[in-house]
Amino acid sequence: MEQLAPIAIFLFVLFLLLGSGVWVGLALMGVAYVGMELFTARPAGDAMITRIWAASSSWTLTALPLFIWMGEILYRTRLSEDMFRGLAPWMARLPGGLIHTNIVGCTVFAAVSGSSAATLTTVGRMSIPELRRRGYPEPMVIGTLAGAATLGLMIPPSLTLIVYGVTINESITRLFMAGVVPGLVLALMFMAYVALASRLSKDFAPTPEPTLSLLGRLKVSRHLLPVLCLIVVVIGSMYLGYATATEAAAFGVLGALALAAAQGSLSAASFGASLMGAVRTSAMIALILAGAAFLSLSMGFTGIPRGLADLIAGFDLSRVQLILALLVFYIVLGCFLDGISSVVLTMAVVEPMIRAAGIDLIWFGIFIVVVVEMAQITPPIGFNLFVLQGMTGHGMGFIARAALPMFLIMVVMVFVLIAVPGLATWLPDSLRQRPGG
């Protein structure tokens, strides 16, 4: 195969740069620069400037820093604590008790955050001390938190879906809508596991919660209303066609600031910290996207993406076989790269294969997110595992074993998506059929 030499050079330079500690975005630019110099006659510097500017000036990409800022505001104010207080009385009656607050709390916070790390840190900071104090099994506390925090990657607003949409030029709003139903189904699968495991485990004997009347629970639930209202404004405005993803993100930031100010937890310090946190995260992702855009251009000149697509097509794989091959590929890749880097690094090669196989790009975006979620809890680079290690003091091996059931549930979710693709496509299709959709 004539593309073997370029592929070998690209991979060698990439792993050399990544192994030397260079930032992912700069490593991608370095690989692309080498490729342009070796395999094309076009000036590499001129191509890099043009491509990076085109990738960075996308209006759709404006939603990314806004959604990140909204999550940072909630993370640094008392809104997240109030959310937990409102959830606890309702979860205590379920099989598995307050363990469900990890899952439901992550699901709710994911709908206003978009970041797995922010979801994990926020919910974990609240739930871990409370669950420990009540005597819940530590592996179940850690495992459910590690798995459920990944819902921040799927339930809108999802940063990974924004990056995927920008990379393949697909509607961010439709991708967001596609993530709603699979995200809720995955959360229910996590909760079903907790209910079953709590019944089968001999070590599950937490301190019983005091019984509250329906009126008492409703009274405590008032703490949930601010966050729920924000979710309705952000997601509802997109679904009803009143706002694009970028406009909805702006509404979310204004709403989060207004709620934090009304609550009295918005200060100059928290405002500045949230803004700087959003800038740091946004700049990191933007650099990765810029590097990936330049790498895609460079690889396009070598003919690697088309050559690989033709090679795969020569194997005459069915759609399911192709999806299963990509599942294994992304799981292995996730052991070494974070989710966003995996998506932008591979899309130039994978997208032609998917289009040629006739696979729906919206559905494939949700498939990618589920597999990227697995990478968040897969050693040795699983980011959620590192965050939990810092929060709990446990060893990486303990945390990885605790998260293993959540990983297996995500594998099951992939097969559910293959068997019932409508889970991902029904809502965005109904959105497109609406007036103005």
Side-chain angles (χ1 to χ4, degrees):
M1 180 181 172
E2 62 183 18
Q3 280 85 18
L4 281 179
I7 290 174
I9 292 173
F10 274 118
L11 290 177
F12 174 76
V13 177
L14 177 64
F15 285 115
L16 177 66
L17 293 175
L18 290 176
S20 63
V22 175
W23 293 346
V24 173
L26 295 180
L28 297 180
M29 290 184 193
V31 174
Y33 193 92
V34 170
M36 292 291 292
E37 289 288 350
L38 291 180
F39 301 111
T40 75
R42 182 174 176 178
D46 176 67
M48 180 172 68
I49 293 171
T50 305
R51 188 64 172 177
I52 289 177
W53 170 253
S56 304
S57 59
S58 166
W59 170 248
T60 306
L61 199 58
T62 312
L64 186 69
L66 291 174
F67 278 127
I68 293 173
W69 191 16
M70 181 176 68
E72 290 281 344
I73 293 167
L74 295 175
Y75 168 58
R76 286 176 166 79
T77 60
R78 212 172 63 242
L79 285 167
S80 54
E81 297 175 25
D82 285 350
M83 179 189 72
F84 183 82
R85 291 168 58 195
L87 284 174
W90 299 96
M91 301 297 105
R93 309 290 293 177
L94 297 176
L98 291 184
I99 290 287
H100 291 290
T101 56
N102 274 348
I103 300 167
V104 179
C106 286
T107 303
V108 173
F109 194 80
V112 286
S113 168
S115 165
S116 174
T119 301
L120 173 60
T121 307
T122 303
V123 178
R125 186 180 60 178
M126 298 178 296
S127 68
I128 290 175
E130 295 296 325
L131 294 176
R132 281 175 169 172
R133 186 167 61 84
R134 290 166 170 82
Y136 283 91
E138 188 78 358
M140 192 174 289
V141 173
I142 301 300
T144 54
L145 190 57
T150 63
L151 292 170
L153 300 178
M154 179 180 291
I155 295 176
S158 161
L159 304 185
T160 305
L161 284 177
I162 294 176
V163 170
Y164 173 79
V166 170
T167 304
I168 67 164
N169 197 28
E170 185 57 78
S171 165
I172 303 299
T173 300
R174 294 192 69 221
L175 284 167
F176 277 0
M177 293 303 104
V180 172
V181 176
L184 295 177
V185 169
L186 186 56
L188 290 174
M189 291 170 68
F190 288 154
M191 294 180 72
Y193 161 75
V194 169
L196 183 62
S198 66
R199 289 287 186 252
L200 298 178
S201 174
K202 297 178 181 179
D203 300 327
F204 196 88
T207 304
E209 292 295 306
T211 303
L212 287 177
S213 65
L214 178 61
L215 183 62
R217 279 184 278 173
L218 289 173
K219 184 178 179 181
V220 176
S221 294
R222 72 185 188 278
H223 298 294
L224 276 175
L225 290 178
V227 176
L228 292 179
C229 288
L230 192 59
I231 293 172
V232 170
V233 168
V234 172
I235 299 180
S237 62
M238 289 188 290
Y239 178 70
L240 295 175
Y242 295 134
T244 64
T246 302
E247 292 163 348
F251 293 151
V253 170
L254 293 175
L257 288 172
L259 290 175
Q263 189 191 52
S265 57
L266 181 65
S267 62
S270 63
F271 179 85
S274 70
L275 192 58
M276 290 308 299
V279 168
R280 281 192 294 269
T281 304
S282 302
M284 175 194 70
I285 296 175
L287 183 62
I288 292 174
L289 283 174
F294 184 33
L295 180 60
S296 297
L297 177 69
S298 178
M299 292 179 71
F301 276 113
T302 66
I304 289 176
R306 179 52 56 191
L308 287 176
D310 292 340
L311 177 65
I312 297 297
F315 293 149
D316 198 24
L317 298 177
S318 67
R319 292 185 187 181
V320 173
Q321 289 172 330
L322 176 60
I323 289 297
L324 294 180
L326 290 173
L327 170 64
V328 175
F329 170 70
Y330 276 108
I331 288 176
V332 173
L333 192 64
C335 292
F336 306 99
L337 288 176
D338 66 277
I340 289 177
S341 300
S342 299
V343 170
V344 297
L345 183 60
T346 58
M347 268 309 110
V349 174
V350 171
E351 184 185 357
M353 300 182 197
I354 297 305
R355 290 187 185 274
I359 296 172
D360 189 290
L361 288 174
I362 296 291
W363 179 91
F364 188 72
I366 304 307
F367 164 83
I368 282 287
V369 168
V370 176
V371 181
V372 165
E373 286 179 343
M374 297 180 195
Q376 294 291 107
I377 56 175
T378 304
I381 309 295
F383 189 70
N384 283 10
L385 304 183
F386 285 110
V387 174
L388 279 170
Q389 186 179 37
M391 292 174 66
T392 64
H394 289 298
M396 184 64 72
F398 176 88
I399 298 172
R401 286 192 299 272
L404 180 61
M406 302 294 112
F407 176 88
L408 297 177
I409 290 172
M410 292 178 198
V411 174
V412 173
M413 183 65 196
V414 169
F415 288 97
V416 170
L417 280 172
I418 293 172
V420 192
L423 285 177
T425 57
W426 170 76
L427 196 55
D429 286 347
S430 67
L431 173 69
R432 182 164 54 183
Q433 293 165 6
R434 297 181 64 90

